[in-house]
Amino acid sequence: YNHALGRIDAIMAGRTVADALLYYPIETMQMHHRPSDAQYGTYTEAENNCKQCLMAIQNTLLDNQIDFDYTDLEVLSRMTVCEDGTLLSPNGYRYSALILPPMEYSPAMANLLSDTAARGNVIRVDEDSTPVSEIPDLLTRRALTADKATHGVLRLVRDTENGRACLLVNTNEESVTASFTISGIKAPVLYDPFADEVIPCDFTLDGDEFGFTVTLGALQSLIVKEQ
């Protein structure tokens, strides 16, 4: 087990390739939280609704093998909006879109998000805008795309010294077969870090992307990496 984790750590060492930014609505919690006799206070209806919506978005992204980073006002203020609408962080991380859950807007946040939304790819999730279920279809730039939502299968894509690598983890207690398309990789192979061997997998090239179908055993992890 330790050897397998060591192999995963070595192969996946590099820069994370996340698809989107998800705004963490801390301002909503700050605006609605009320103290009480309890040590941590009592959550209000607005806070509970905020939490539930955020979890629904997060779970939808994970079930569609979409990786994301949380962001807040301070981090977002240092982002650059590129000509194609993507967002670029000061350390070079690029995100295809900014996802905004239902939330309250402070004046500073409203000003910043208004400017960002005018020039960037911003997905607003609320009753009058984008339903949670439609988020995956609106993310056009994704390092790994699943043919259909696959609950319990998580992924991590990184650019390493040896090229792009993708870790697929099945958190289900039964096997799962799923099809994916991966970009940014030249000569992919499927690697089992526990057996320490390359296993057979048919990769089909379409333009600059490779399509493949993989069966992940119960609680199994596999890696797609450069040959």
Side-chain angles (χ1 to χ4, degrees), residues 22-33 43 46-47 50-51 54 70-75 101-106 109 113:
L22 175 58
Y23 195 91
Y24 189 82
I26 186 64
E27 289 85 357
T28 302
M29 310 302 281
Q30 293 169 335
M31 292 178 186
H32 289 277
H33 194 65
Y43 288 112
E47 288 176 290
C50 180
K51 176 183 177 182
L54 189 65
Y70 276 115
T71 189
D72 61 10
L73 183 61
E74 192 275 331
V75 173
M103 60 185 185
E104 301 282 356
Y105 292 83
S106 66
M109 182 172 61
L113 293 181

Side-chain angles (χ1 to χ4, degrees), residues 114-136:
S114 175
D115 180 62
T116 302
R119 298 182 293 122
N121 299 329
V122 176
I123 301 172
R124 296 180 183 270
V125 182
D126 55 53
E127 295 179 355
D128 300 322
S129 185
T130 303
V132 173
S133 60
E134 293 183 7
I135 295 176

Side-chain angles (χ1 to χ4, degrees), residues 66-83:
I66 298 172
D67 197 8
F68 63 92
D69 286 338
Y70 276 115
T71 189
D72 61 10
L73 183 61
E74 192 275 331
V75 173
L76 194 60
S77 66
R78 295 187 280 113
M79 292 278 179
T80 299
V81 181
C82 303
E83 290 186 2

